[in-house]
Amino acid sequence: MRTALALGLLSALAAFGAAADTYPQRPITMVVPFAAGGPTDVVARIVAEPMSRALGQQVVIENVTGAGGTTGITRASQAAPDGYTIMMGHMGTHGAAPALFKGLKYDPAKSFDTVGLAAGTPIVIVAKKSMAAPDLKGFIEAIKAGGASINQAHAGVGSVSHSTGILFDSLVGAKPTLVVYRGTGPALNDLVAGQVDFMTDQIVNVAPQITGGTIKAYAIATPERSPSLPDVPTTKEAGLPEYEVSAWNAVFAPKGLPADVRAKLVAALDTALKDASARKRILELGGTVPKESEAGPDALQKLVESEVARWTPVLRSAADANP
């Protein structure tokens, strides 16, 4: 009896090892928790193609929207930890969400196996093309004077555009009407159409519209100007040095991923970020490619922990100041 059980256990372990060795044997789903066309979706699609080549199976994007990205992340976190479901999270879903959502069904620092950072994305303060203010100082004066008649777009509570927008409003003392979208893609469409007045968003989402002249950029929230938007001043240059913030996108998997499978995903992402075409596209959009010290699962785990610690007091304080 014991011999039979032992043989059965050995057979199961051998089968598991074989499955890990041959992973992946079918397409992999990458859950993007926002609508198609937004910055998280853009970064996901840039890295998915070279990851597919590296893995020998297609990485298929699935957009699952809602609740500032937490709906898609919650769903993906509950998938089997077999490497066939991964997700593209960001500063909102894995940094800001705990401060904004009571009863969040996942812990950003404990519910996932990290794969790696995919891109950094500076924040830009943008407005509709017809906004009359010539510079950031004038823009701040205009939105403060306009009060609730000013409409500020964002991609849902907990999203990057929402979190960075709350911080901006708190710093300048503005109280606009917040208009919620199911992603920054549709929010940007309405900004271009002049249906909303402004938003704070990731550079990868807004750079083409800024250079194309369909929206107006007032400042970029980084220490130095972006090579992709050289004419856009930094917030320090524009008179708001305290507003300095960048977002990021990163790949996660459900907790409990087999070590061999995780290693293959880490290697595939690393290959993708060394791909000349992918790097060029990220940089053209104004994003940043992770440095060696920022890459890999350990660095991402530390980033998530530090972001939760950073954003929790900031967002709670801002919410108290702007109930």
Side-chain angles (χ1 to χ4, degrees):
M1 182 67 174
R2 290 182 178 177
T3 301
L5 287 173
L7 289 173
L9 179 59
L10 287 173
S11 297
L13 290 172
F16 177 82
D21 288 342
T22 57
Y23 168 85
Q25 296 178 311
R26 63 179 189 271
I28 298 159
T29 297
M30 179 185 284
V31 173
V32 173
F34 294 101
T40 300
D41 181 75
V42 169
V43 171
R45 293 178 190 277
I46 289 173
V47 300
E49 184 177 347
M51 282 186 72
S52 298
R53 293 196 298 269
L55 290 165
Q57 289 285 351
Q58 189 69 31
V59 176
V60 180
I61 303 298
E62 181 181 0
N63 298 93
V64 181
T65 64
T70 61
T71 296
I73 296 299
T74 298
R75 175 173 144 183
S77 71
Q78 297 168 348
D82 55 10
Y84 290 101
T85 299
I86 57 178
M87 68 209 82
M88 183 65 76
H90 69 3
M91 181 271 282
T93 60
H94 285 75
L100 296 169
F101 291 96
K102 292 182 179 179
L104 189 66
K105 294 182 179 179
Y106 63 85
D107 183 326
K110 297 179 180 179
S111 301
F112 308 92
D113 278 337
T114 52
V115 176
L117 192 64
T121 50
I123 299 300
V124 188
I125 302 165
V126 293
K128 62 184 180 181
K129 184 179 179 180
S130 60
M131 185 66 69
D135 53 26
L136 182 62
K137 181 179 179 181
F139 171 69
I140 292 172
E141 291 174 352
I143 63 172
K144 287 175 66 176
S149 68
I150 299 294
N151 293 319
Q152 178 181 0
H154 68 79
V157 174
S159 65
V160 170
S161 54
H162 175 255
S163 302
T164 58
I166 283 181
L167 178 60
F168 175 76
D169 295 340
S170 177
L171 288 172
V172 304
K175 294 187 177 181
T177 295
L178 302 182
V179 182
V180 186
Y181 291 83
R182 295 181 70 85
T184 44
L188 183 58
N189 289 338
D190 272 8
L191 185 67
V192 171
Q195 300 300 310
V196 291
D197 297 303
F198 81 102
M199 65 190 296
T200 58
D201 199 12
Q202 300 170 72
I203 192 171
V204 296
N205 196 37
V206 298
Q209 287 73 25
I210 294 170
T211 56
T214 59
I215 60 175
K216 184 177 291 187
Y218 281 109
I220 184 167
T222 49
E224 299 177 352
R225 294 195 183 197
S226 169
S228 65
L229 297 174
D231 295 330
V232 177
T234 67
T235 46
K236 182 177 181 180
E237 291 173 328
L240 190 65
E242 58 270 40
Y243 188 69
E244 188 174 294
V245 58
S246 288
W248 47 267
N249 289 106
V251 180
F252 298 84
K255 192 71 173 180
L257 208 61
D260 289 352
V261 172
R262 186 185 193 186
K264 288 186 177 182
L265 287 169
V266 171
L269 178 60
D270 183 61
T271 297
L273 294 176
K274 291 177 180 176
D275 179 82
S277 179
R279 291 177 67 89
K280 180 181 178 182
R281 183 63 178 146
I282 290 171
L283 295 173
E284 284 177 342
L285 291 171
T288 59
V289 178
K291 301 174 184 176
E292 186 174 347
S293 60
E294 301 169 329
D298 293 340
L300 177 55
Q301 181 65 35
K302 291 178 182 177
L303 175 63
V304 170
E305 292 170 0
S306 67
E307 286 287 79
V308 172
R310 174 194 183 194
W311 282 102
T312 296
V314 168
L315 293 173
R316 286 180 178 168
S317 175
D320 291 341
N322 294 274

